[in-house]
Amino acid sequence: MLRSSRLTACLAAVSVALLSLGAGRSVAEEATSVDVLGKAKMSVPSEFKKSEKKSRIIEHEFKVGEDDKAARLTMMRAGGGVQPNIKRWKGQFSGGKEEDQKTETFKAGPFEVHLIDVAGTFAESMGGGPFFGGKTVQRENYAMVGAIFESEDRLYFAKMVGPAETIKANREKFVEMAKSVGK
């Protein structure tokens, strides 16, 4: 009986300690700040809602917009070089207006950030990801805004893909999010 009381007391003390570690932080606050390669934090707009990851390689996933007009925002560590990844991202789209295809670079915190805009028909890989094949679905009138955060030893991607109207409506929020690593 004495052991049972001590065990109960110990479990209660551990529970209180664990709860106090999270005191003052809400789930919403945790979801709106993302670690980027252990070098900076990125502030995610509150309108971008945390969602279930559709792939194991994705570190964070958010839903941007509503229902059938929602875009998918994914974040993950990456490799392979900046230019090959830009080429691969652009290669996932066909058609589109020339003025909707652009790349710019800026410095934010410890990173060189490469911002990529692409629009047109998106060839979405279903079930296999970009490297494993699988069925491809053609999504017309889609767009992407992506950021490649380049550090001396690693890359980090933030990529928002979805209906063009949703991407255009949320592009500035995405850009501000990318720039927040410098604040």
Side-chain angles (χ1 to χ4, degrees):
M1 185 73 165
L2 187 56
R3 281 188 186 163
S4 176
S5 305
R6 285 185 183 159
L7 181 59
T8 302
C10 283
L11 288 173
V14 168
S15 295
V16 168
L18 289 173
L19 287 172
S20 69
L21 288 174
R25 293 188 329 215
S26 71
V27 173
E29 287 174 9
E30 291 176 18
T32 60
S33 180
V34 171
D35 179 75
V36 180
L37 299 175
K39 299 174 189 238
K41 295 284 185 187
M42 181 165 49
S43 298
V44 180
S46 60
E47 299 89 353
F48 298 1
K49 303 299 181 195
K50 191 94 169 149
S51 63
E52 187 175 331
K53 298 181 278 185
K54 291 183 176 77
S55 169
R56 288 180 286 141
I57 65 171
I58 303 297
E59 291 178 23
H60 304 280
E61 186 159 334
F62 297 84
K63 178 182 172 186
V64 180
E66 297 300 321
D67 304 322
D68 63 333
K69 298 290 185 189
R72 180 180 180 210
L73 169 60
T74 57
M75 300 175 188
M76 61 186 269
R77 292 172 188 260
V82 172
Q83 292 308 314
N85 280 296
I86 290 173
K87 182 178 179 181
R88 182 174 55 82
W89 287 0
K90 287 182 174 183
Q92 294 172 333
F93 284 81
S94 61
K97 299 176 188 169
E98 185 64 33
E99 64 266 17
D100 292 335
Q101 326 299 326
K102 54 189 173 231
T103 304
E104 64 181 273
T105 303
F106 56 87
K107 182 87 171 133
F111 304 104
E112 190 79 16
V113 181
H114 305 270
L115 192 66
I116 301 93
D117 287 279
V118 189
T121 299
F122 176 57
E124 182 177 8
S125 287
M126 306 298 286
F131 307 110
F132 302 107
K135 180 181 175 185
T136 301
V137 176
Q138 300 297 316
R139 307 271 186 207
E140 290 186 21
N141 199 23
Y142 257 52
M144 180 205 79
V145 59
I148 299 175
F149 298 86
E150 181 181 17
S151 74
E152 66 281 348
D153 60 341
R154 207 66 190 155
L155 301 178
Y156 193 85
F157 294 164
K159 181 176 165 183
M160 185 168 62
V161 178
E165 65 186 77
T166 302
I167 301 303
K168 287 179 183 177
N170 290 284
R171 184 185 184 279
E172 289 309 312
K173 290 176 189 160
F174 180 94
V175 173
E176 287 303 312
M177 177 186 77
K179 289 180 176 179
S180 74
V181 297
K183 296 178 182 175

